[in-house]
């Protein structure tokens, strides 16, 4: 099986511009491709995860990745998939986020002049002359055609700013620049970026008379998507200080039955033959598949030791056999206990398992709350600080939400 055939078999490719040419480049290790990452936060999240895995996979096959960090385009904001305008960030915030991205990407991609490059589009976008851009780049874009692009449709309903309208031109200019500076011949991105990617390929062909190609990776975590990268408590980050290895493991351990094999194909490096054997798995075997997925991805992001700890902690949680030291901990003090006591509703709120006391009340009355494996159905159940001393106690709400509550004084 060729490299390109494996990408197809794993469900990674949605659409390409010139399939035969792309096959030739990828299969022979001649692709110099880039994927862009706008530094809108100080950590990458699971929405970026597939792109990083794809870059790693193609680098292993001899191709050269370019990770483009959008320090310049982040000054504008991508309108794709948005119904409102992105919040403007300061240059200092953007630079801080850029540095965080660099550190995290190094876990996936081997950087070096002959291996992979990490570049920042602020290096060329921030010094552009506006008149030059209008004459040299703007002349090659049709406004009528741009307005039909999928990435602008949602924003058109509430009002697309001229600032955002320029995003497609800036992204196209990135590809044009990378082609000239580094011989970049291919752009990869999620299928919500298709219009922007086509803009870059057309700009290169019109201005330079050269071939450049675009390939959309069918991002399960992007278009179908970005829904999977979020939980009730927020995004799932690759930074262990924002999402612990245990929480990261649990996120993948709890994916829907219908998504688990799709995720294993797209995101892990397990052989396709092994994955094919899982296609017939049902019932309890699907839980085993979820654990395989969670372990493999946690190992990729946080290392084998942390993956093993998370796996063991997960077993302890689901077995209901007490507290694991590797579970995420919420610390309280005696001052948090009103009159020396804390009722179960306050416990749930403190543990961030309920947004309010009324929400906590419903959870208890519905029979979905337990403390150290013992179900709590009486809303008047109360605890004293000593109940949470030592290693603390595991508070569970339903099958997937939990926290260890520990009194530290």
């Amino acid at each position: 099986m060729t490299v390109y055939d494996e990408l197809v078999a794993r469900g990674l490719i949605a659409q390409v511009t010139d399939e035969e040419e792309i096959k030739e480049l990828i299969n022979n290790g001649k692709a110099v491709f880039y994927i862009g990452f706008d530094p809108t936060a100080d950590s990458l999240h699971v929405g970026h995860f597939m792109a990083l895995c794809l870059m790693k996979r193609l680098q292993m096959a001899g191709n050269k990745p370019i990770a483009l960090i959008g320090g310049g385009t982040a000054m504008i904001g991508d309108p794709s998939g948005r119904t409102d305008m992105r919040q403007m960030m300061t240059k200092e915030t953007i630079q801080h986020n850029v540095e965080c991205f660099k550190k995290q990407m190094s876990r996936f991609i081997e950087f070096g002049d002959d291996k992979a490059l990490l570049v920042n589009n602020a290096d060329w976008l921030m010094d552009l002359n506006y008149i030059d851009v209008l004459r040299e780049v703007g002349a090659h874009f049709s406004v009528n055609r741009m307005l039909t692009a999928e990435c602008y449709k949602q924003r058109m309903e509430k009002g697309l700013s001229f600032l955002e309208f320029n995003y497609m031109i800036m992204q196209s200019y990135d590809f044009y620049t990378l082609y000239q500076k580094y011989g970049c011949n291919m752009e990869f991105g999620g299928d919500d970026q298709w219009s922007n990617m086509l803009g870059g390929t057309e700009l290169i062909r019109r201005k330079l008379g050269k071939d450049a190609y675009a390939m959309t990776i069918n991002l399960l975590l992007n278009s179908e998507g970005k829904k999977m990268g979020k939980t009730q408590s927020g995004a799932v980050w690759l930074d262990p200080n924002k999402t612990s290895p245990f929480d990261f493991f649990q996120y993948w351990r709890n994916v829907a039955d219908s998504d688990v094999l799709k995720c294993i194909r797209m995101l892990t490096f397990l052989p396709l033959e092994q994955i094919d054997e899982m296609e017939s798995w049902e019932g309890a075997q699907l839980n085993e598949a979820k654990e395989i997925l969670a372990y493999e991805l946690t190992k990729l992001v946080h290392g084998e030791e942390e993956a093993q700890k998370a796996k063991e902690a997960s077993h302890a949680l689901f077995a209901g056999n007490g507290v694991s030291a590797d579970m995420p901990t919420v610390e309280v003090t005696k001052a948090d206990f009103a009159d020396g006591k804390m009722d179960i509703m306050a416990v749930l709120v403190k543990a961030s398992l309920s947004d309010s006391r009324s929400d906590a009340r419903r959870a208890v009355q519905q029979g979905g709350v337990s403390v150290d494996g013992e179900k709590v159905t009486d809303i008047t159940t109360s605890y004293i600080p000593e109940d949470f001393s030592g290693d603390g106690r595991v508070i569970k709400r339903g099958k997937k939400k939990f926290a260890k509550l520990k009194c530290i004084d």
Side-chain angles (χ1 to χ4, degrees):
M1 181 180 291
T2 67
V3 178
Y4 186 86
D5 288 341
E6 182 173 352
L7 297 181
V8 173
R10 289 183 178 274
L12 288 167
I13 299 178
Q15 53 191 338
V16 300
T17 54
D18 306 85
E19 187 171 47
E20 292 306 314
E21 289 85 349
I22 287 175
K23 282 183 181 180
E24 171 70 19
L25 291 170
I26 288 176
N27 289 338
N28 292 288
K30 296 179 180 178
V32 181
F33 67 95
Y34 95 92
I35 299 180
F37 302 82
D38 272 356
T40 53
D42 60 0
S43 172
L44 297 163
H45 53 72
V46 297
H48 300 115
F49 192 48
M50 181 178 292
L52 292 170
C53 289
L54 179 66
M55 296 174 87
K56 178 181 178 71
R57 196 183 302 278
L58 289 173
Q59 184 179 46
M60 290 168 62
N63 297 287
K64 185 175 181 178
I66 299 176
L68 174 68
I69 297 187
T73 39
M75 298 291 290
I76 297 176
D78 183 1
S80 302
R82 302 283 298 188
T83 57
D84 58 351
M85 185 171 168
R86 292 185 187 272
Q87 184 176 355
M88 301 285 278
M89 297 187 296
T90 65
K91 293 180 181 180
E92 292 75 19
T93 297
I94 291 172
Q95 186 55 40
H96 171 71
N97 294 349
V98 166
E99 294 303 320
C100 293
F101 276 27
K102 287 180 181 178
K103 182 178 179 181
Q104 291 179 341
M105 285 179 176
S106 296
R107 291 193 63 91
F108 295 85
I109 306 163
E110 187 176 0
F111 289 106
D113 290 342
D114 59 341
K115 295 174 181 177
L117 298 176
L118 189 145
V119 297
N120 186 342
N121 65 12
D123 292 343
W124 55 84
L125 292 181
M126 299 298 285
D127 295 328
L128 285 177
N129 179 286
Y130 187 59
I131 298 298
D132 289 342
V133 172
L134 290 178
R135 288 175 59 87
E136 300 299 322
V137 181
H140 296 281
F141 286 81
S142 163
V143 171
N144 289 347
R145 186 173 179 182
M146 290 173 70
L147 290 175
T148 65
E150 191 65 34
C151 62
Y152 290 137
K153 285 183 178 178
Q154 283 185 301
R155 293 291 294 117
M156 287 289 288
E157 295 176 5
K158 289 193 174 183
L160 177 69
S161 72
F162 183 71
L163 180 74
E164 297 168 290
F165 187 63
N166 279 271
Y167 192 91
M168 182 186 291
I169 294 176
M170 295 297 96
Q171 184 169 332
S172 299
Y173 190 81
D174 283 343
F175 196 1
Y176 174 69
T177 301
L178 292 173
Y179 185 98
Q180 294 185 93
K181 292 186 69 172
Y182 305 110
C184 180
N185 52 29
M186 199 178 302
E187 178 179 4
F188 291 1
D191 53 9
D192 62 344
Q193 295 290 315
W194 186 240
S195 298
N196 293 339
M197 292 160 65
L198 289 180
T201 60
E202 292 180 10
L203 181 62
I204 291 170
R205 291 176 181 183
R206 289 183 182 184
K207 285 190 67 65
L208 301 177
K210 303 290 186 179
D211 285 332
Y213 312 104
M215 186 172 88
T216 296
I217 51 178
N218 187 17
L219 286 183
L220 175 69
L221 308 180
N222 188 32
S223 56
E224 181 178 317
K226 286 178 178 174
K227 63 185 183 185
M228 279 198 67
K230 295 185 181 294
T231 66
Q232 290 185 347
S233 61
V236 179
W237 305 98
L238 304 192
D239 182 344
N241 295 316
K242 296 170 76 73
T243 298
S244 71
F246 180 75
D247 284 339
F248 188 83
F249 182 98
Q250 286 301 120
Y251 170 76
W252 295 107
R253 173 63 180 77
N254 293 321
V255 299
D257 289 355
S258 58
D259 286 331
V260 59
L261 287 180
K262 195 186 305 182
C263 289
I264 289 176
R265 284 188 183 278
M266 290 181 169
L267 298 174
T268 75
F269 288 78
L270 295 176
L272 284 171
E273 295 79 10
Q274 180 180 346
I275 300 171
D276 288 340
E277 293 175 359
M278 300 180 190
E279 288 288 351
S280 60
W281 288 10
E282 297 178 351
Q285 287 181 307
L286 282 179
N287 287 330
E288 182 182 346
K290 291 178 184 181
E291 186 168 282
I292 291 171
L293 171 70
Y295 180 82
E296 291 296 323
L297 299 191
T298 306
K299 182 171 67 173
L300 272 174
V301 175
H302 299 295
E304 189 167 4
E305 182 179 350
E306 290 297 334
Q308 188 60 38
K309 286 182 181 179
K311 181 179 178 179
E312 292 170 359
S314 180
H315 286 175
L317 173 69
F318 283 98
N321 60 355
V323 177
S324 165
D326 297 309
M327 290 183 187
T329 300
V330 176
E331 295 181 342
V332 295
T333 66
K334 290 181 179 179
D336 293 305
F337 292 76
D339 298 324
K341 293 183 178 181
M342 184 184 298
D343 65 28
I344 186 61
M345 293 178 288
V347 167
L348 288 167
V349 173
K350 285 289 183 183
S352 299
L353 299 179
S354 292
D355 297 328
S356 63
R357 287 181 61 85
S358 59
D359 178 51
R361 177 191 293 268
R362 287 191 295 272
V364 173
Q365 292 174 336
Q366 291 168 2
V369 175
S370 67
V371 176
D372 271 2
E374 295 184 11
K375 185 174 288 189
V376 179
T377 56
D378 185 353
I379 60 172
T380 65
T381 301
S382 296
Y383 303 89
I384 59 176
E386 288 73 19
D387 290 328
F388 299 101
S389 62
D391 288 334
R393 291 191 178 190
V394 173
I395 318 300
K396 287 182 66 177
R397 177 180 179 176
K399 295 181 179 180
K400 301 180 180 180
K401 298 180 68 176
F402 56 87
K404 180 169 69 175
L405 202 68
K406 180 179 180 180
C407 187
I408 59 175
D409 63 2

